[in-house]
Amino acid sequence: MAKSPEVKLAVFGKAGVGKSALVVRFLTRRFIWEYDPTLESTYRHQANIDDEVVTMEILDTAGQEDIQQKEGHMRWGDGFIIVYDITDRGSFEEVAPLRTLLEEVKKPKNVPLVLVGNKSDLDHIRQVTTEEGERLAAEMACAFYECSACADEGGVVAEAFHELCREVRRRKAVQ
Ligand code: GDP
Ligand code: MG
């Protein structure tokens, strides 16, 4: 039987922010332009993080779920990535309510979380500044990355996923 995943990660954020593109970039190091926006998928992946093999299961949510479905995904996960699109202020405004729901569902636990501002290649039509992203991440006490699923230079996308895995494992170690 397959070894059960050590780390269960769920990716949240408004539909269209690039969740599927980010997950596929992380898994394949490639960018694919179009996905069915209503699709929800899970992937298993192994990565070498700090010289240790980490098995992860990644849930790429559709971003259109009702609250019960969101709560179900939150109960399932150990760690979470909340994604917004730097060219869509509405997607940034959906971050805080998602985080509030996460806290509700997971309390009293302190939830491993990473905030990602995607589509940094579209800087010319940016609606959310880097400083706003940094400030929100500071308020939520989580790591923050601005990146581009389609032009990921320097492996920032992988770094965001790896940092979340580290965070999950750190918290598990102290439980
Ligand atoms: P999801 O609904 O959050 O899963 O979003 P998708 O991954 O389906 O992406 C939505 C749209 O944004 C698609 O047309 C993607 O090609 C596009 N997209 C995703 N990531 C990026 C990015 O980093 N830069 C640009 N320019 N487009 C992106
Ligand atoms: Mg998607």
Side-chain angles (χ1 to χ4, degrees), residues 45-57:
H45 182 67
Q46 277 200 336
N48 200 318
I49 304 174
D50 308 331
D51 295 325
E52 277 187 280
V53 177
V54 179
T55 311
M56 58 193 98
E57 193 163 335

mmCIF file with all atom_site columns, all heavy atoms in Angstrom, residues 45-57:
data_model
loop_
_atom_site.group_PDB
_atom_site.id
_atom_site.type_symbol
_atom_site.label_atom_id
_atom_site.label_alt_id
_atom_site.label_comp_id
_atom_site.label_asym_id
_atom_site.label_entity_id
_atom_site.label_seq_id
_atom_site.pdbx_PDB_ins_code
_atom_site.Cartn_x
_atom_site.Cartn_y
_atom_site.Cartn_z
_atom_site.occupancy
_atom_site.B_iso_or_equiv
_atom_site.pdbx_formal_charge
_atom_site.auth_seq_id
_atom_site.auth_comp_id
_atom_site.auth_asym_id
_atom_site.auth_atom_id
_atom_site.pdbx_PDB_model_num
ATOM 1   N N   . HIS A 1 45 ? 2.904  14.113 -4.717 1.00 0.00 ? 45 HIS A N   1
ATOM 2   C CA  . HIS A 1 45 ? 4.204  14.580 -5.173 1.00 0.00 ? 45 HIS A CA  1
ATOM 3   C C   . HIS A 1 45 ? 5.241  14.317 -4.088 1.00 0.00 ? 45 HIS A C   1
ATOM 4   O O   . HIS A 1 45 ? 4.940  14.410 -2.903 1.00 0.00 ? 45 HIS A O   1
ATOM 5   C CB  . HIS A 1 45 ? 4.114  16.088 -5.453 1.00 0.00 ? 45 HIS A CB  1
ATOM 6   C CG  . HIS A 1 45 ? 5.367  16.691 -5.973 1.00 0.00 ? 45 HIS A CG  1
ATOM 7   N ND1 . HIS A 1 45 ? 5.881  16.385 -7.210 1.00 0.00 ? 45 HIS A ND1 1
ATOM 8   C CD2 . HIS A 1 45 ? 6.226  17.596 -5.430 1.00 0.00 ? 45 HIS A CD2 1
ATOM 9   C CE1 . HIS A 1 45 ? 6.996  17.076 -7.406 1.00 0.00 ? 45 HIS A CE1 1
ATOM 10  N NE2 . HIS A 1 45 ? 7.228  17.809 -6.342 1.00 0.00 ? 45 HIS A NE2 1
ATOM 11  N N   . GLN A 1 46 ? 6.450  13.973 -4.542 1.00 0.00 ? 46 GLN A N   1
ATOM 12  C CA  . GLN A 1 46 ? 7.555  13.839 -3.598 1.00 0.00 ? 46 GLN A CA  1
ATOM 13  C C   . GLN A 1 46 ? 8.601  14.875 -3.932 1.00 0.00 ? 46 GLN A C   1
ATOM 14  O O   . GLN A 1 46 ? 8.909  15.078 -5.106 1.00 0.00 ? 46 GLN A O   1
ATOM 15  C CB  . GLN A 1 46 ? 8.187  12.456 -3.724 1.00 0.00 ? 46 GLN A CB  1
ATOM 16  C CG  . GLN A 1 46 ? 7.432  11.414 -2.923 1.00 0.00 ? 46 GLN A CG  1
ATOM 17  C CD  . GLN A 1 46 ? 8.286  10.192 -2.655 1.00 0.00 ? 46 GLN A CD  1
ATOM 18  O OE1 . GLN A 1 46 ? 9.224  9.918  -3.388 1.00 0.00 ? 46 GLN A OE1 1
ATOM 19  N NE2 . GLN A 1 46 ? 7.956  9.471  -1.621 1.00 0.00 ? 46 GLN A NE2 1
ATOM 20  N N   . ALA A 1 47 ? 9.128  15.500 -2.928 1.00 0.00 ? 47 ALA A N   1
ATOM 21  C CA  . ALA A 1 47 ? 10.175 16.491 -3.171 1.00 0.00 ? 47 ALA A CA  1
ATOM 22  C C   . ALA A 1 47 ? 11.251 16.341 -2.117 1.00 0.00 ? 47 ALA A C   1
ATOM 23  O O   . ALA A 1 47 ? 10.985 15.887 -0.996 1.00 0.00 ? 47 ALA A O   1
ATOM 24  C CB  . ALA A 1 47 ? 9.595  17.899 -3.119 1.00 0.00 ? 47 ALA A CB  1
ATOM 25  N N   . ASN A 1 48 ? 12.446 16.714 -2.497 1.00 0.00 ? 48 ASN A N   1
ATOM 26  C CA  . ASN A 1 48 ? 13.554 16.709 -1.561 1.00 0.00 ? 48 ASN A CA  1
ATOM 27  C C   . ASN A 1 48 ? 13.665 18.113 -0.948 1.00 0.00 ? 48 ASN A C   1
ATOM 28  O O   . ASN A 1 48 ? 13.979 19.060 -1.649 1.00 0.00 ? 48 ASN A O   1
ATOM 29  C CB  . ASN A 1 48 ? 14.827 16.343 -2.324 1.00 0.00 ? 48 ASN A CB  1
ATOM 30  C CG  . ASN A 1 48 ? 15.885 15.857 -1.385 1.00 0.00 ? 48 ASN A CG  1
ATOM 31  O OD1 . ASN A 1 48 ? 16.056 16.437 -0.313 1.00 0.00 ? 48 ASN A OD1 1
ATOM 32  N ND2 . ASN A 1 48 ? 16.570 14.810 -1.765 1.00 0.00 ? 48 ASN A ND2 1
ATOM 33  N N   . ILE A 1 49 ? 13.340 18.187 0.315  1.00 0.00 ? 49 ILE A N   1
ATOM 34  C CA  . ILE A 1 49 ? 13.355 19.495 0.977  1.00 0.00 ? 49 ILE A CA  1
ATOM 35  C C   . ILE A 1 49 ? 14.320 19.422 2.148  1.00 0.00 ? 49 ILE A C   1
ATOM 36  O O   . ILE A 1 49 ? 14.124 18.612 3.058  1.00 0.00 ? 49 ILE A O   1
ATOM 37  C CB  . ILE A 1 49 ? 11.936 19.887 1.463  1.00 0.00 ? 49 ILE A CB  1
ATOM 38  C CG1 . ILE A 1 49 ? 10.946 19.867 0.291  1.00 0.00 ? 49 ILE A CG1 1
ATOM 39  C CG2 . ILE A 1 49 ? 11.953 21.257 2.136  1.00 0.00 ? 49 ILE A CG2 1
ATOM 40  C CD1 . ILE A 1 49 ? 9.497  20.085 0.691  1.00 0.00 ? 49 ILE A CD1 1
ATOM 41  N N   . ASP A 1 50 ? 15.343 20.232 2.098  1.00 0.00 ? 50 ASP A N   1
ATOM 42  C CA  . ASP A 1 50 ? 16.376 20.223 3.145  1.00 0.00 ? 50 ASP A CA  1
ATOM 43  C C   . ASP A 1 50 ? 16.916 18.806 3.380  1.00 0.00 ? 50 ASP A C   1
ATOM 44  O O   . ASP A 1 50 ? 17.012 18.341 4.523  1.00 0.00 ? 50 ASP A O   1
ATOM 45  C CB  . ASP A 1 50 ? 15.823 20.803 4.466  1.00 0.00 ? 50 ASP A CB  1
ATOM 46  C CG  . ASP A 1 50 ? 15.183 22.160 4.273  1.00 0.00 ? 50 ASP A CG  1
ATOM 47  O OD1 . ASP A 1 50 ? 15.605 22.881 3.350  1.00 0.00 ? 50 ASP A OD1 1
ATOM 48  O OD2 . ASP A 1 50 ? 14.253 22.495 5.027  1.00 0.00 ? 50 ASP A OD2 1
ATOM 49  N N   . ASP A 1 51 ? 17.208 18.113 2.278  1.00 0.00 ? 51 ASP A N   1
ATOM 50  C CA  . ASP A 1 51 ? 17.781 16.757 2.321  1.00 0.00 ? 51 ASP A CA  1
ATOM 51  C C   . ASP A 1 51 ? 16.857 15.707 2.922  1.00 0.00 ? 51 ASP A C   1
ATOM 52  O O   . ASP A 1 51 ? 17.314 14.659 3.363  1.00 0.00 ? 51 ASP A O   1
ATOM 53  C CB  . ASP A 1 51 ? 19.123 16.748 3.088  1.00 0.00 ? 51 ASP A CB  1
ATOM 54  C CG  . ASP A 1 51 ? 20.164 17.554 2.345  1.00 0.00 ? 51 ASP A CG  1
ATOM 55  O OD1 . ASP A 1 51 ? 20.126 17.522 1.089  1.00 0.00 ? 51 ASP A OD1 1
ATOM 56  O OD2 . ASP A 1 51 ? 20.978 18.224 2.998  1.00 0.00 ? 51 ASP A OD2 1
ATOM 57  N N   . GLU A 1 52 ? 15.580 15.984 2.926  1.00 0.00 ? 52 GLU A N   1
ATOM 58  C CA  . GLU A 1 52 ? 14.627 14.965 3.358  1.00 0.00 ? 52 GLU A CA  1
ATOM 59  C C   . GLU A 1 52 ? 13.552 14.806 2.298  1.00 0.00 ? 52 GLU A C   1
ATOM 60  O O   . GLU A 1 52 ? 13.115 15.791 1.699  1.00 0.00 ? 52 GLU A O   1
ATOM 61  C CB  . GLU A 1 52 ? 13.961 15.378 4.668  1.00 0.00 ? 52 GLU A CB  1
ATOM 62  C CG  . GLU A 1 52 ? 14.793 15.058 5.883  1.00 0.00 ? 52 GLU A CG  1
ATOM 63  C CD  . GLU A 1 52 ? 14.001 15.325 7.147  1.00 0.00 ? 52 GLU A CD  1
ATOM 64  O OE1 . GLU A 1 52 ? 13.929 16.501 7.536  1.00 0.00 ? 52 GLU A OE1 1
ATOM 65  O OE2 . GLU A 1 52 ? 13.464 14.373 7.711  1.00 0.00 ? 52 GLU A OE2 1
ATOM 66  N N   . VAL A 1 53 ? 13.130 13.560 2.093  1.00 0.00 ? 53 VAL A N   1
ATOM 67  C CA  . VAL A 1 53 ? 12.065 13.328 1.120  1.00 0.00 ? 53 VAL A CA  1
ATOM 68  C C   . VAL A 1 53 ? 10.722 13.581 1.801  1.00 0.00 ? 53 VAL A C   1
ATOM 69  O O   . VAL A 1 53 ? 10.416 13.000 2.840  1.00 0.00 ? 53 VAL A O   1
ATOM 70  C CB  . VAL A 1 53 ? 12.130 11.886 0.575  1.00 0.00 ? 53 VAL A CB  1
ATOM 71  C CG1 . VAL A 1 53 ? 10.963 11.638 -0.375 1.00 0.00 ? 53 VAL A CG1 1
ATOM 72  C CG2 . VAL A 1 53 ? 13.444 11.656 -0.135 1.00 0.00 ? 53 VAL A CG2 1
ATOM 73  N N   . VAL A 1 54 ? 9.952  14.457 1.216  1.00 0.00 ? 54 VAL A N   1
ATOM 74  C CA  . VAL A 1 54 ? 8.638  14.786 1.763  1.00 0.00 ? 54 VAL A CA  1
ATOM 75  C C   . VAL A 1 54 ? 7.583  14.350 0.754  1.00 0.00 ? 54 VAL A C   1
ATOM 76  O O   . VAL A 1 54 ? 7.667  14.686 -0.425 1.00 0.00 ? 54 VAL A O   1
ATOM 77  C CB  . VAL A 1 54 ? 8.514  16.307 2.013  1.00 0.00 ? 54 VAL A CB  1
ATOM 78  C CG1 . VAL A 1 54 ? 7.134  16.648 2.555  1.00 0.00 ? 54 VAL A CG1 1
ATOM 79  C CG2 . VAL A 1 54 ? 9.600  16.790 2.961  1.00 0.00 ? 54 VAL A CG2 1
ATOM 80  N N   . THR A 1 55 ? 6.629  13.560 1.234  1.00 0.00 ? 55 THR A N   1
ATOM 81  C CA  . THR A 1 55 ? 5.522  13.169 0.366  1.00 0.00 ? 55 THR A CA  1
ATOM 82  C C   . THR A 1 55 ? 4.373  14.113 0.638  1.00 0.00 ? 55 THR A C   1
ATOM 83  O O   . THR A 1 55 ? 3.996  14.310 1.793  1.00 0.00 ? 55 THR A O   1
ATOM 84  C CB  . THR A 1 55 ? 5.064  11.734 0.689  1.00 0.00 ? 55 THR A CB  1
ATOM 85  O OG1 . THR A 1 55 ? 6.212  10.910 0.740  1.00 0.00 ? 55 THR A OG1 1
ATOM 86  C CG2 . THR A 1 55 ? 4.094  11.225 -0.358 1.00 0.00 ? 55 THR A CG2 1
ATOM 87  N N   . MET A 1 56 ? 3.843  14.685 -0.417 1.00 0.00 ? 56 MET A N   1
ATOM 88  C CA  . MET A 1 56 ? 2.733  15.613 -0.198 1.00 0.00 ? 56 MET A CA  1
ATOM 89  C C   . MET A 1 56 ? 1.551  15.272 -1.089 1.00 0.00 ? 56 MET A C   1
ATOM 90  O O   . MET A 1 56 ? 1.710  14.673 -2.155 1.00 0.00 ? 56 MET A O   1
ATOM 91  C CB  . MET A 1 56 ? 3.181  17.059 -0.401 1.00 0.00 ? 56 MET A CB  1
ATOM 92  C CG  . MET A 1 56 ? 3.749  17.364 -1.738 1.00 0.00 ? 56 MET A CG  1
ATOM 93  S SD  . MET A 1 56 ? 4.575  18.978 -1.747 1.00 0.00 ? 56 MET A SD  1
ATOM 94  C CE  . MET A 1 56 ? 6.280  18.488 -1.511 1.00 0.00 ? 56 MET A CE  1
ATOM 95  N N   . GLU A 1 57 ? 0.397  15.612 -0.610 1.00 0.00 ? 57 GLU A N   1
ATOM 96  C CA  . GLU A 1 57 ? -0.795 15.517 -1.428 1.00 0.00 ? 57 GLU A CA  1
ATOM 97  C C   . GLU A 1 57 ? -1.288 16.953 -1.564 1.00 0.00 ? 57 GLU A C   1
ATOM 98  O O   . GLU A 1 57 ? -1.367 17.683 -0.570 1.00 0.00 ? 57 GLU A O   1
ATOM 99  C CB  . GLU A 1 57 ? -1.832 14.640 -0.736 1.00 0.00 ? 57 GLU A CB  1
ATOM 100 C CG  . GLU A 1 57 ? -2.952 14.241 -1.651 1.00 0.00 ? 57 GLU A CG  1
ATOM 101 C CD  . GLU A 1 57 ? -3.745 13.060 -1.091 1.00 0.00 ? 57 GLU A CD  1
ATOM 102 O OE1 . GLU A 1 57 ? -3.204 12.278 -0.289 1.00 0.00 ? 57 GLU A OE1 1
ATOM 103 O OE2 . GLU A 1 57 ? -4.925 12.961 -1.453 1.00 0.00 ? 57 GLU A OE2 1
#
